[in-house]
Amino acid sequence: MPENNFGMQYYKMWFRRSFRPPDNKGVALKKNRNSVYYHFMLLPGMIFLIVFSLIPMGGLIMAFQNFQPAKGISGSRFVGWENFARIFMLPDFYQIFTNTIIISVCKIVLGMAAAVLFAVLLNECRFVGAKRVVQTAVYLPHFLSWVILAVMFRNIFSYTGVVNHMMQGLGKEPVMFLASNDWFRPIIILGDVWKEFGYNAIVYVAAMTNIDPSLYEAAEMDGAGRLKKIWHITIPGLMPTIVLMTTLNLGHVLNAGFDQILNLYSPLVYETGDIIDTYVYRVGLMGLQYSFGTAVGFFKSVFSSLLLILSYKLADRFAGYRVF
Amino acid sequence: MLDVYINFWLLFEQTCAFGAQRMKRHGEGYMHKKLKLSDIILLLLLFGCGMICLIPILNTIAVSFSDRTSAALGEVRFWPVKFTTASYRAIVQEKQFARSFFISVERVILGTCINMVLSVLMAYPLSKSESQFKGKKLYMWTVIFTMMFNGGLVPTFMVVKNLKLIDTIWALVLPGAVPVFHVILLMNFFKGIPKSLEEAACVDGANPWRILCGIYLPLSKASLATVALFCVVNHWNAFFDGKIYIDSPEKLPLQTYIQSLIVDLNPQQMASMTTEQLAEHMKMSSLTFNSAKVVVSMIPILLIYPFLQKYFVTGIVMGAVKE
């Protein structure tokens, strides 16, 4: 009997162990321990985000003050909405706002058209080698900075530059392209389209690989030509991506290209080329009107984050795309 | 270095082979289809696009090798007129150019390292779900908030100034230490790695640190490379932070230096110069000389361009958001 009893004991132990009511103590401990690691991993990054992104947001108080660097934020006088009221009283402001909107909307629309067109051309080409060569050339400008490109643009469009040299060959008067209010905006817009169309086309090229090839075969059977196939299959196939990119771009409407304009403009073309960002830089930092510059920046920041949220919502709604 | 180039060419050939395979799939006739007029027009259009993108760059290279007077008259198109390397020899003699070049290199190395470490360390915990990591949502919202909304130029400048970072290389590296967009890119990639791998490691007693280094990082080499290359390009191309945070001219990074030398000179400054200074400036900023500087500053980008081209498509498709 004692042996049996012994066996029974083991059996009971085994039974108890395996049907023990679940207590997640061990798992929870482990999870907590992992969480500690996670918190520590996030710590350095969060410190940088807090110092260089969140604290400056606290500095937005300056927009409601008459900030003087000597006195600091705590010592400066509060003036309420005065700085914001000044923005709207400024005659320049409407000019700057319309410049920003016109330049960026043109950039978005033309940029997208060029990118889609280029992607379609690329898709139609049957020669892989040629495709690669062209792609290599076309992506390059995206990776060069506007400083470098501005030097090139300034050389090419200068009074004695290549473009004017060619125009003289055609018997036309030379033009100061970058100093003329008629030419400045087109150059800015087309310059940006030129820099980015190849790179932006990547998304569309990727989208085209998802179009069902049997559609093209069926169309071919029905005797559709190349243009018909593009118009009735490729473009509709790209439509979701086009909608998505449009909505995402909506969030960037107030960013009309600070780097580009800062490097290409001059006081002569403030009338057509000055945008919010360049204005903040000139007035706020160079002109040392810290409070006013902050107020303009604040205005822009609020406006564009609202646009950004709207664009993400629209992208989610119309294209089923979630950024996060 | 070299072997990566070779890799690049292998990739290139693979792509070609892939194209050939696709042609085969489309039937024998596809490959030997007659060259139609529309094909020729298409090719011409495509090469036109390619040329348009290269023309300004080729023109600048040609100008940099040209004689100064013919460049100033706008005679140079795509081939140097009266070939000379005088402007490159002048660059070598200019001390500030080399100094700025190395400051930029230093910045790229330092900045990319900091960016990579911080974004990996942030992306990994953020890729966990709320049930695995309590408090993840709070962190995530902070990150999204900083991406959507920012304090703007002036307050950020004040913070950097109050931290006494002005005029040091840290002012260029630290404010952008956490590239939020890249964090989200990496986070999305980490989310795609199968959970069972992590669970298995966890059962074997690995801690999250071990899991990150032993499983996640080796599996995401390609996307890490993408992010690193983007960081390199961003740091090399940044000029604006150098402009506002660096006061002493001998500490300017390269892009800022070129910008201050060529682009930023306004008429008032010109008017306040003495004739000698003006003559010096004219000598320094002649067209050929400027072009040569631009060409030299393009070289690092051109060097990493093959790698970039290999990876950035993945990066874009992965993120599918424009920065």
Side-chain angles (χ1 to χ4, degrees), chain B:
Chain B
M1 196 73 172
L2 193 70
D3 58 337
V4 185
Y5 271 97
I6 292 168
N7 267 342
F8 174 66
W9 282 109
L10 282 180
L11 185 92
F12 174 78
E13 266 164 26
Q14 267 170 19
T15 337
C16 295
F18 175 70
Q21 250 176 25
R22 207 170 64 175
M23 285 175 187
K24 225 178 227 168
R25 215 173 51 211
H26 280 264
E28 279 303 311
Y30 191 83
M31 217 166 146
H32 308 289
K33 222 177 191 175
K34 231 170 61 189
L35 197 66
K36 279 192 286 191
L37 183 67
S38 60
D39 277 323
I40 295 171
I41 295 173
L42 203 66
L43 271 183
L44 283 179
L45 279 174
L46 274 179
F47 278 114
C49 287
M51 277 317 287
I52 286 172
C53 286
L54 289 184
I55 279 174
I57 298 164
L58 292 179
N59 174 262
T60 309
I61 296 174
V63 168
S64 73
F65 281 110
S66 292
D67 176 56
R68 196 184 288 172
T69 39
S70 29
L73 288 173
E75 283 167 0
V76 184
R77 303 249 163 112
F78 310 116
W79 203 251
V81 177
K82 297 181 197 154
F83 183 88
T84 161
T85 54
S87 32
Y88 288 94
R89 271 180 275 134
I91 283 185
V92 174
Q93 280 165 6
E94 195 184 326
K95 282 205 184 79
Q96 185 52 43
F97 188 83
R99 220 182 287 150
S100 291
F101 193 95
F102 285 111
I103 288 173
S104 272
V105 171
E106 191 187 342
R107 179 208 169 141
V108 165
I109 295 171
L110 198 66
T112 308
C113 290
I114 292 179
N115 281 350
M116 287 312 288
V117 170
L118 288 182
S119 44
V120 165
L121 283 184
M122 284 195 85
Y124 174 65
L126 289 179
S127 70
K128 299 285 156 256
S129 64
E130 175 73 24
S131 65
Q132 280 170 302
F133 171 32
K134 234 183 168 93
K136 179 235 169 180
K137 277 208 172 132
L138 180 69
Y139 286 113
M140 196 62 216
W141 279 111
T142 320
V143 170
I144 292 173
F145 184 64
T146 53
M147 191 167 127
M148 295 255 183
F149 197 78
N150 61 59
L153 185 60
V154 183
T156 315
F157 174 76
M158 301 303 281
V159 167
V160 174
K161 201 176 163 190
N162 287 336
L163 287 172
K164 307 246 175 335
L165 294 178
I166 298 281
D167 227 16
T168 60
I169 194 160
W170 301 107
L172 306 177
V173 174
L174 294 184
V178 181
V180 178
F181 175 76
H182 294 159
V183 170
I184 288 174
L185 211 73
L186 274 180
M187 182 193 82
N188 284 337
F189 188 81
F190 284 160
K191 270 184 189 166
I193 291 177
K195 281 224 170 57
S196 46
L197 284 174
E198 187 180 6
E199 276 158 17
C202 206
V203 167
D204 287 344
N207 60 34
W209 181 250
R210 194 75 201 277
I211 294 171
L212 176 63
C213 298
I215 297 174
Y216 277 71
L217 293 187
L219 280 178
S220 47
K221 270 183 203 147
S223 37
L224 288 176
T226 316
V227 171
L229 284 170
F230 275 120
C231 288
V232 169
V233 173
N234 284 347
H235 276 292
W236 184 262
N237 282 344
F239 74 96
F240 187 63
D241 40 9
K243 204 169 146 70
I244 55 177
Y245 297 140
I246 304 289
D247 292 334
S248 37
E250 71 274 3
K251 286 181 186 163
L252 288 178
L254 188 62
Q255 301 280 336
T256 318
Y257 173 65
I258 292 178
Q259 208 257 355
S260 67
L261 207 70
I262 299 165
V263 179
D264 216 20
L265 203 74
N266 52 33
Q268 289 153 351
Q269 249 175 308
M270 293 274 257
S272 66
M273 281 180 175
T274 60
T275 27
E276 280 155 29
Q277 275 176 322
L278 207 62
E280 180 70 11
H281 174 257
M282 291 309 249
K283 210 179 99 194
M284 295 299 261
S285 74
S286 73
L287 207 55
T288 52
F289 198 42
N290 286 346
S291 304
K293 280 178 184 161
V294 162
V295 171
V296 173
S297 75
M298 260 183 344
I299 288 174
I301 296 285
L302 293 179
L303 279 180
I304 65 164
Y305 189 58
F307 307 90
L308 266 175
Q309 223 194 0
K310 184 171 166 184
Y311 288 118
F312 68 69
V313 177
T314 356
I316 263 202
V317 175
M318 212 162 60
V321 199
K322 286 214 309 180
E323 209 169 345

Side-chain angles (χ1 to χ4, degrees), chain A residues 268-290:
Chain A
L268 293 170
V269 288
Y270 282 170
E271 197 186 308
T272 52
D274 202 12
I275 57 168
I276 298 177
D277 292 326
T278 50
Y279 186 75
V280 172
Y281 170 63
R282 236 185 21 251
V283 174
L285 270 186
M286 306 295 279
L288 301 177
Q289 299 187 35
Y290 291 119

Side-chain angles (χ1 to χ4, degrees), chain A residues 194-252:
Chain A
W194 169 82
K195 185 175 188 260
E196 303 291 346
F197 79 91
Y199 194 72
N200 289 344
I202 294 176
V203 181
Y204 301 108
V205 171
M208 271 187 237
T209 53
N210 291 332
I211 299 177
D212 187 1
S214 60
L215 289 177
Y216 290 103
E217 281 156 23
E220 216 161 306
M221 286 296 177
D222 291 345
R226 209 167 220 177
L227 289 176
K228 280 239 158 115
K229 273 192 279 182
I230 292 174
W231 187 246
H232 292 291
I233 299 172
T234 314
I235 300 288
L238 285 182
M239 230 38 209
T241 320
I242 294 176
V243 171
L244 174 67
M245 296 318 280
T246 317
T247 49
L248 289 181
N249 277 329
L250 187 68
H252 302 285

